[in-house]
Amino acid sequence: MLVTERRERILALTRANGTASIADLAAQLRVSEMTVRRDIDLLADEGVVERVRGGVRMRSAARTVAAPVVSPERRAIAEAAAALVEPGMAIGISGGPAALALARELVQVPELTVVTNALPVSDLFSPPERADAPYTQTVVLTGGVRTPSDALVGPVAVRALEHLHCDLVFLDVHGLDVQAGITTMNLLEAETNRALMAAGREVVVLADHSRWGVVGLTTVADLGDIDRLIADEGLDDDARTQLAAHVGTLQIAPLD
């Protein structure tokens, strides 16, 4: 069973009863409890489920509508990334919690064109209710496979990106590693993120310090393909040295 299929099964089993235990999920999926915990951690980071003692539960409707809790590190990264955006720009934003935090920082920027394959990001940039309010254009990559984090990935999204051009592309990543580069757990997401990167004049990666040393299932791109990497102060000195030697610019976002 592929990783993406396993996580879809976890979601389906959890949705059926509202909650599920790690032991039951491991038994039904025939994998270790550690594997299930890792899957749950990723799904929780994406805001799809909530961790509970010994298991997982679906987020309630009220919690889903509310803005997710953003860590101080991701908030600092989002604020630093938002400072790069100017009115009138065309920008690309991937799926992921850091990317969504950035989108929330940008909703008031006027005349901004947003290219995104993330449905939660798209929802933030809906037309204003008042005619005199700043209007933000949104391009949603329609079609493709919908991931647990509500991103649209696959060949349809890739083809839509082939003829688009962005001033900046902001990419949220699952992991960063010197040998493996930028990685993700979803093969189709890797393909789509590569196309999103190719559409940008400058690629800005958003990654808090916990992403360093994490290696996902497949490589999206090499570290050398990153024009600017925005991380937080939790990144240790050794990691900073290694990353600075490979990426175009390493920017450390200060915590308040």
Side-chain angles (χ1 to χ4, degrees):
M1 182 182 295
L2 295 176
V3 175
T4 51
E5 294 174 336
R6 189 177 66 240
R7 289 179 181 154
E8 290 285 359
R9 283 285 292 153
I10 289 174
L11 280 176
L13 292 169
T14 305
R15 190 178 292 114
N17 297 307
T19 63
S21 72
I22 290 174
D24 286 344
L25 290 171
Q28 293 193 56
L29 297 173
R30 297 182 181 180
V31 296
S32 69
E33 292 188 6
M34 181 62 69
T35 296
V36 172
R37 286 193 181 92
R38 285 197 295 265
D39 289 339
I40 289 173
D41 286 343
L42 182 62
L43 292 171
D45 286 344
E46 294 175 342
V48 182
V49 299
E50 290 180 321
R51 304 178 190 90
V52 295
R53 187 175 182 84
V56 61
R57 69 182 176 193
M58 296 302 298
R59 298 187 66 183
S60 67
R63 288 185 179 122
T64 301
V65 172
V69 176
V70 180
S71 69
E73 292 83 5
R74 284 179 181 157
R75 181 175 293 107
I77 290 170
E79 291 174 353
L84 302 175
V85 179
E86 300 176 359
M89 276 187 168
I91 64 169
I93 303 179
S94 74
L100 183 58
L102 167 62
R104 293 185 184 280
E105 296 288 331
L106 297 176
V107 291
Q108 297 302 321
V109 178
E111 300 179 10
L112 197 64
T113 300
V114 178
V115 177
T116 184
N117 65 322
L119 299 178
V121 171
S122 171
D123 289 344
L124 289 175
F125 292 97
S126 58
E129 295 180 359
R130 291 177 23 234
D132 60 343
Y135 181 69
T136 299
Q137 296 175 301
T138 305
V139 179
V140 180
L141 306 183
T142 57
V145 178
R146 186 168 179 167
T147 70
S149 58
D150 286 335
L152 302 175
V153 299
V156 175
V158 170
R159 286 196 295 272
L161 281 164
E162 289 177 351
H163 304 291
L164 299 177
H165 307 281
C166 299
D167 298 295
L168 298 171
V169 163
F170 295 95
L171 189 69
D172 194 341
V173 298
H174 172 76
L176 291 172
D177 182 79
V178 170
Q179 280 75 39
I182 305 168
T183 62
T184 180
M185 297 301 295
N186 188 310
L187 295 173
L188 292 177
E189 185 175 52
E191 181 185 17
T192 304
N193 282 347
R194 280 192 290 271
L196 185 61
M197 293 175 70
R201 181 173 51 82
E202 181 177 349
V203 175
V204 182
V205 168
L206 314 176
D208 67 72
H209 68 276
S210 68
R211 303 299 186 179
W212 173 246
V214 175
V215 177
L217 176 66
T218 185
T219 295
V220 177
D222 295 330
L223 294 183
D225 295 319
I226 301 173
D227 296 304
R228 181 184 296 268
L229 171 62
I230 305 180
D232 63 90
E233 292 179 339
L235 195 67
D236 62 44
D237 291 340
D238 180 60
R240 295 187 192 195
T241 299
Q242 293 188 64
L243 285 167
H246 290 83
V247 305
T249 299
L250 174 62
Q251 180 177 346
I252 302 299
L255 295 175
D256 292 336

